[in-house]
Amino acid sequence: MGVEAGPQKASAPAKCILFGEHAVVYGEPAVAVALEQRLHVQLRPSKTWSVGGSPLHPDRHPHIVALKTALLDDSIPPMSIHISSDIPRASGLGSSAALSAAVGRAFAALTQQQDFTNEALSTLAHQAEAQAQGGLASPLDTSTSTEGGIVVLSDKKEEFCTWLYTRTLAVPTGERVWEVHSLDLKRDDDIYLVLGNTGIHAPTSAQVALVASALEESPERMQEIKAMGTISRRGLDALKRGDYTAVGHAMSENHVLLRNLGVSSYELEDLIQAALPTSLGVKLTGAGGGGCMVALTRQPKETAEAIELAGGRTLVSRIGNAGAGTD
Ligand code: MEV
């Protein structure tokens, strides 16, 4: 394995789920977009392996250790890994997926693995994410951060989308299969996402476990998961047509189902109420329980001000940005 001289840099974007979080873990369709906010990593040869000055450790850095084991052999000298990010952590914006995608890209570049495809990267990142989430994770966050743009996961190959690859995951009840696609959109310069962060950290693993135990207790609630899949498909159709009014409606409908499932919070509801009057649609995004809500809006300034008045911190992004790459 040859080693590239000098610091190796890579970055990957945050993601925002427009439709289908939680339901996607059970194989239902979902849509996510890459945001403007990014995580950057820099690798420099060093005496020992470290992350931000602390020794690399499997408990503290499970994603990085999994990628190192998969991608690097003993011929690679130790590296110090420096991470800088404008993606808030544990807030539903895919900071751990962005970390995996950026570190994976940097490791592959370090060893000059030119044939290291996005599919290989998102597969490794998904496996690392699934391990960190107690075995249950969809490839939505990791494939969006890897591919960028708009990513659609579905239980079947979707028309009008570009099919990329199939991802599978062994789960206690068998095997889950997702078809991963990208979607090209007609550019609309007047449409924005405003993210409102409650500042409350809610680990994805706990939120995913909460839904799993609700479904175990009441298997008939799988109907609600299926209803989310129906709304995702409606939202996807609206996106393909560039009908953002209908996209917004589907987002708000999706939120009602997420709230009923028990993954919203008072703080999220406050920010959502504040954003509604100036938005086309509003919902929580990601695992919920805290973290972020997202508003689809043509008035980003007004929407952001309303969210901030209600106590949220905001980020503004256009829809669809570049995926993981070397810097
Ligand atoms: C987290 O960003 C999205 C969830 O659907 C979990 C997953 O897809 O693995 C809640």
Side-chain angles (χ1 to χ4, degrees), residues 60-326:
R60 295 190 58 204
H61 314 109
H63 299 82
I64 299 179
V65 171
L67 288 160
K68 177 174 169 283
T69 307
L71 285 170
L72 305 183
D73 66 23
D74 291 344
S75 67
I76 302 297
M79 296 278 153
S80 70
I81 304 175
H82 178 75
I83 300 166
S84 62
S85 175
D86 38 33
I87 310 173
R89 293 184 61 208
S91 59
L93 301 183
S95 61
S96 69
L99 175 68
S100 295
V103 168
R105 263 283 153 249
F107 280 174
L110 184 73
T111 55
Q112 299 165 26
Q113 296 180 46
Q114 264 88 3
D115 53 351
F116 189 63
T117 60
N118 273 355
E119 178 177 359
L121 175 59
S122 87
T123 299
L124 279 179
H126 178 215
Q127 285 161 348
E129 195 88 331
Q131 248 171 34
Q133 267 177 222
L136 280 183
S138 80
L140 186 58
D141 293 16
T142 44
S143 48
T144 308
S145 198
T146 302
E147 301 292 342
I150 302 179
V151 167
V152 177
L153 258 58
S154 183
D155 48 357
K156 64 178 180 65
K157 291 188 181 160
E158 291 288 335
E159 274 182 69
F160 307 111
C161 295
T162 308
W163 177 79
L164 299 173
Y165 36 82
T166 305
R167 279 291 315 126
T168 57
L169 183 73
V171 292
T173 47
E175 190 182 59
R176 231 152 249 164
V177 181
W178 295 270
E179 302 297 345
V180 182
H181 313 72
S182 62
L183 174 69
D184 284 333
L185 269 197
K186 270 182 278 155
R187 203 181 152 89
D188 181 334
D189 282 337
D190 279 340
I191 199 86
Y192 294 85
L193 297 172
V194 179
L195 288 306
N197 191 350
T198 59
I200 295 169
H201 288 198
T204 301
S205 52
Q207 292 295 108
V208 168
L210 190 139
V211 173
S213 62
L215 291 171
E216 219 169 275
E217 252 170 54
S218 319
E220 72 283 1
R221 296 196 75 177
M222 196 49 96
Q223 286 312 318
E224 296 170 44
I225 299 287
K226 297 221 171 300
M228 287 187 202
T230 306
I231 290 175
S232 289
R233 192 148 271 137
R234 200 179 301 153
L236 175 60
D237 284 339
L239 259 181
K240 287 177 192 162
R241 295 194 312 271
D243 180 349
Y244 286 101
T245 305
V247 173
H249 279 154
M251 286 170 66
S252 295
E253 277 183 86
N254 193 166
H255 180 70
V256 173
L257 290 174
L258 286 164
R259 191 178 57 207
N260 290 346
L261 195 61
V263 294
S264 190
S265 70
Y266 292 117
E267 294 82 358
L268 279 166
E269 292 303 316
D270 281 351
L271 303 189
I272 286 169
Q273 285 308 315
L276 263 176
T278 57
S279 302
L280 299 171
V282 193
K283 64 187 274 294
L284 70 79
T285 187
C292 285
M293 45 70 69
V294 58
L296 182 76
T297 178
R298 294 192 187 279
Q299 297 163 259
K301 194 168 167 289
E302 289 79 356
T303 305
E305 275 169 10
I307 293 171
E308 285 186 9
L309 272 176
R313 274 173 277 151
T314 56
L315 297 171
V316 180
S317 175
R318 290 188 188 273
I319 292 184
N321 293 276
T326 48

